[in-house]
Amino acid sequence: FQIKYQSFLRGKMSQELKLTPQMLEIQRELSTAEGKCRLLEGTIQQLEANQRKAKFTLDEVANMEPDTKAFRPIGKMFLLTSTSEIKTDLDKSMKAYDEDIAKHKQLKEEAEKRKVEIANTLKEMMSKSQIFGHQQQKDE
């Protein structure tokens, strides 16, 4: 954001100076939108990693004999349960991960669209500011 030193010394308040706070606010919005997109991407990656882990565990439990007992983690403890209970819990977890991933992907798409809108608004304001700056230089 270029401020014309000569017009500033003369005490003239150019439109560039009036637009600067608006541009800074839009830049803050853009930065916030980018941060939200990164956060959602990280959340999606974490959910996908948890889903893969649950799938690997489900595959291993499926290879066990039906009457086999296995330990299931509960907080800091382990509980001896049947493999059918573990399979049921893992299936529920997989469905929940699918829903959460789909929801977060949709939120990310919306955030990406919003980010593009904000960036376009900022570019438009900057181009208007540059056009005004060139017109003001011609007038002087």
Side-chain angles (χ1 to χ4, degrees):
F1 304 106
Q2 186 178 8
I3 299 175
K4 295 188 177 24
Y5 187 67
Q6 295 168 341
S7 65
F8 182 75
L9 287 178
R10 289 186 207 142
K12 294 181 182 177
M13 185 98 172
S14 69
Q15 188 173 354
E16 285 180 312
L17 293 174
K18 292 178 186 175
L19 289 178
T20 301
Q22 292 173 343
M23 287 184 206
L24 290 174
E25 180 61 31
I26 291 174
Q27 277 187 329
R28 279 190 284 269
E29 288 178 25
L30 182 61
S31 178
T32 302
E34 287 172 344
K36 186 174 182 178
C37 288
R38 284 191 302 270
L39 181 67
L40 286 168
E41 181 62 33
T43 303
I44 291 168
Q45 288 176 354
Q46 184 64 41
L47 287 169
E48 288 173 344
N50 289 344
Q51 186 181 38
R52 283 190 303 272
K53 191 165 49 169
K55 177 155 178 27
F56 293 143
T57 305
L58 185 61
D59 291 343
E60 289 300 318
V61 171
N63 292 335
M64 296 176 144
E65 295 293 324
D67 58 343
T68 304
K69 296 281 187 179
F71 287 98
R72 179 177 70 177
I74 298 179
K76 294 182 180 182
M77 306 183 323
F78 291 93
L79 184 63
L80 188 62
T81 58
S82 67
T83 54
S84 62
E85 284 183 49
I86 294 173
K87 287 179 188 178
T88 304
D89 289 344
L90 288 171
D91 285 334
K92 287 179 186 177
S93 295
M94 294 287 288
K95 288 177 185 174
Y97 288 135
D98 285 337
E99 292 171 4
D100 287 346
I101 289 170
K103 181 179 79 172
H104 281 84
K105 283 185 177 181
Q106 184 175 355
L107 289 172
K108 183 184 172 208
E109 286 178 18
E110 293 170 5
E112 291 283 343
K113 287 178 187 176
R114 179 71 179 134
K115 182 177 82 168
V116 169
E117 289 173 7
I118 294 170
N120 288 339
T121 303
L122 183 61
K123 287 178 187 176
E124 187 178 304
M125 288 184 84
M126 290 175 74
S127 67
K128 285 181 182 178
S129 175
Q130 289 175 350
I131 291 170
F132 183 77
H134 291 303
Q135 287 176 348
Q136 191 175 22
Q137 286 178 352
K138 289 178 185 177
D139 292 343
E140 290 179 359

